[in-house]
Amino acid sequence: MFGLVGLLLALVIAGVVAKKQMASVAAPALPSVPGAAAPASGEAPADARTQARQVQQQVKDALDAAAQARKMPDDN
């Protein structure tokens, strides 16, 4: 009986500590994308569709650049 109570008490304490720790960590509003430019201070934020297109284009550009850098000369 005491083992079960002790286990539940440890679980509650661990939950409270984890909740406090998660609350103290401030998560950024938007994830950082390398090479992504932040909007100017006077500029209104773009809608989600526009942001998605921009991220897709940036990923495509990065993949194209990586593919160009990895091309090897043909050995004929």
Side-chain angles (χ1 to χ4, degrees):
M1 181 67 176
F2 289 115
L4 182 61
V5 172
L7 180 62
L8 288 175
L9 183 61
L11 185 60
V12 168
I13 291 171
V16 170
V17 169
K19 185 177 179 182
K20 284 183 180 181
Q21 201 169 26
M22 292 299 290
S24 67
V25 175
L30 293 175
S32 172
V33 177
S41 60
E43 189 177 318
D47 64 343
R49 186 171 296 200
T50 304
Q51 288 177 344
R53 282 193 205 124
Q54 289 174 345
V55 170
Q56 287 175 347
Q57 186 61 42
Q58 290 170 354
V59 169
K60 182 182 177 296
D61 292 344
L63 289 173
D64 289 343
Q68 292 295 325
R70 298 286 294 164
K71 284 189 177 178
M72 305 278 287
D74 291 333
D75 292 334
N76 290 344

